Every structure is written in structure tokens, then in C-alpha cells.
Amino acid sequence: MANLPDRDLAREGICVGEGRFAVERMLASGLKPLALASVPGMADGLSLPDGTEPPLRILPQPEIGRIAGYPFHRGLLGAFARPVERGLDELSLHAASRLAVLDGVTDPVNVGGIIRSAAAFGLDGLILGPRCGDPYSRRAIRASMAACFSMPLAFIPDIPASARILKERGLAIWGADLHHRAVRADRLAGEGGVALILGNEGHGISDPWREACDAYVMIPIGPEVDSLNVGVAAGILFYQLAR
């Protein structure tokens, strides 16, 4: 895994966790460990699945940094078999489900932060549309605190078909957008059966999802700023959904 970019790791079916916390979460989620690299003492007492003995290398800090490709690695690296991507039909959907849909959110830090907030506020799952950033990239894993392995994720190739499935399951599709019909974020409080669309950082919600939206929601902000970071907005909206 030395100096391999995320796209190459993904092609090889590998994801990498950094630090004791992330590695422990990845082990707890049932991912198959392939290799571990640790500074002295960091891997002591690490609980591995029964019958699993991945190669463990104890190395000095600079050598771990060389393998990671940068010095920020928290003393422990774990290479794991990448989770199998699930489709929308594999989510447990029902009329009271609360979901977030990432519509072309590309920055892996935003993707990871949104997943972390979704887990914190008890959402039932996330749907990642075409052109989304990889939730199993190193930066996304780090930003989500490895919550990407416990939060149910679904990957969709086709937006109109996915929107039809959501509506057939009784879910209302809300778009986070400064639409002229948008209501304030506190209107989400107590809403059950919602799929909340979060659009691309620069272009917002795509036309196929706009055509599917039943309602729109916005967060009032001061005139000095034209918009919020999508990760920040997601946290506020998820909090309202959880109220």
C-alpha cells in the first residue's frame, strides 16, 4: 500500500485506515484485515478476528510515513479488503426511513463528514449517486471516523429509477436548496419518511433529482455569505430531522 493513490487502492479492492481508532472500527465492522503497520506499542492488544493473522510490521515513525505517503498517519495503518458496494434494493427501506442522498458531492472530506453526521443523528442510510466522492478513500475514512463502515450505504447508477423506488416506498424527496418554495430547516423536525438530497458543492442539485423533489428546505444565513459548506449544512439538517 506504499504511496498508492486511492484510485489504485480501490482498483485492487483495498481500503486503508489510519490510527488505532479507525483500525479498531474497521475490525469491528467485520472487514478482512490484509496487513498492519505500526510504530512500537500502537498495535499492542489490538483485537483481531479469530483465526486471522494479517502481517504486522513494527516500524519507526519515518518508515510508517513513507508507506503512508505523508507524515499524518497516527502511528498505525491497516489495509483491509474493501466492502462490497450495495445497491438501493439492499437498504432496509420503509415509510419512516430517514435517508440522505449525496448528489455529486465530490470532496472526500465532505463525503466523510456527512457520513459521520448521519451516524451521529441516527439516519437510516445514505445513498451515493453518480460522480460522488469515494466514501472508502483514506480522506473520507478519516473524516467519517470510520463511520462509513457502520452506516448503511447504497450506490446508485440511475437517478430516475432510484427516485421512483424511494417514492414507491412512501418516502418524500426533499431537496436542500435555495428554491423559491423552500421552507426553513426547522420544518424538517419530526418529518418521517424523508430522502434529503444534498447537491454538488458548486452546482447544487442535479436536474434529475430536481424533477423528483416533492419539497425544498433551506437554512437561513446572513447576507455576508452566499452559502454554507455542504458538510456543515448536512449536520444542521440532520439535527432537525432528528428532533
Side-chain angles (χ1 to χ4, degrees):
M1 60 185 172
N3 293 313
L4 285 178
D6 281 315
R7 64 179 177 275
D8 291 340
L9 290 169
R11 190 159 44 242
E12 296 295 327
I14 297 171
C15 56
V16 175
E18 304 164 14
R20 175 89 183 210
F21 182 83
V23 169
E24 286 185 329
R25 274 199 164 183
M26 294 167 81
L27 288 167
S29 71
L31 293 184
K32 179 184 177 182
L34 303 175
L36 301 170
S38 172
V39 298
M42 186 62 72
D44 291 352
L46 199 62
S47 179
L48 297 173
D50 290 342
T52 300
E53 293 185 11
L56 170 61
R57 298 182 66 187
I58 306 299
L59 300 167
Q61 284 274 4
E63 185 66 9
I64 296 278
R66 185 193 67 79
I67 293 174
Y70 44 80
F72 183 78
H73 51 73
R74 297 175 176 169
L76 178 63
L77 292 176
F80 292 80
R82 187 180 170 93
V84 175
E85 294 185 358
R86 299 190 296 178
L88 185 57
D89 58 342
E90 296 178 79
L91 281 187
S92 298
L93 298 178
H94 51 80
S97 293
R98 295 172 304 154
L99 308 172
V101 180
L102 306 192
D103 179 26
V105 177
T106 58
D107 187 329
V109 174
N110 286 335
V111 172
I114 291 169
I115 292 171
R116 183 177 179 181
S117 293
F121 292 112
L123 266 65
D124 299 301
L126 273 90
I127 299 168
L128 290 91
R131 301 176 293 108
C132 272
D134 181 5
Y136 304 131
S137 68
R138 286 196 232 184
R139 293 176 69 201
I141 293 171
R142 191 189 310 147
S144 75
M145 297 293 285
C148 53
F149 302 110
S150 56
M151 169 64 59
L153 304 181
F155 298 79
I156 59 168
D158 183 274
I159 293 174
S162 300
R164 285 195 298 272
I165 291 172
L166 293 173
K167 292 192 176 189
E168 287 169 359
R169 300 296 177 88
L171 302 179
I173 298 177
W174 286 60
D177 188 78
L178 295 174
H179 191 276
H180 69 276
R181 291 193 290 110
V183 299
R184 292 172 59 99
D186 54 8
R187 286 282 298 276
L188 281 174
E191 285 285 334
V194 170
L196 178 65
I197 314 298
L198 300 166
N200 173 267
E201 292 92 341
H203 308 295
I205 298 173
S206 63
D207 289 340
W209 277 119
R210 283 188 183 279
E211 293 171 7
C213 281
D214 301 301
Y216 292 93
V217 62
M218 51 85 73
I219 302 169
I221 58 175
E224 296 82 5
V225 178
D226 62 348
S227 64
L228 293 174
N229 169 272
V230 65
V232 173
I236 295 170
L237 296 171
F238 295 167
Y239 167 75
Q240 294 293 348
L241 268 177
R243 286 177 59 202

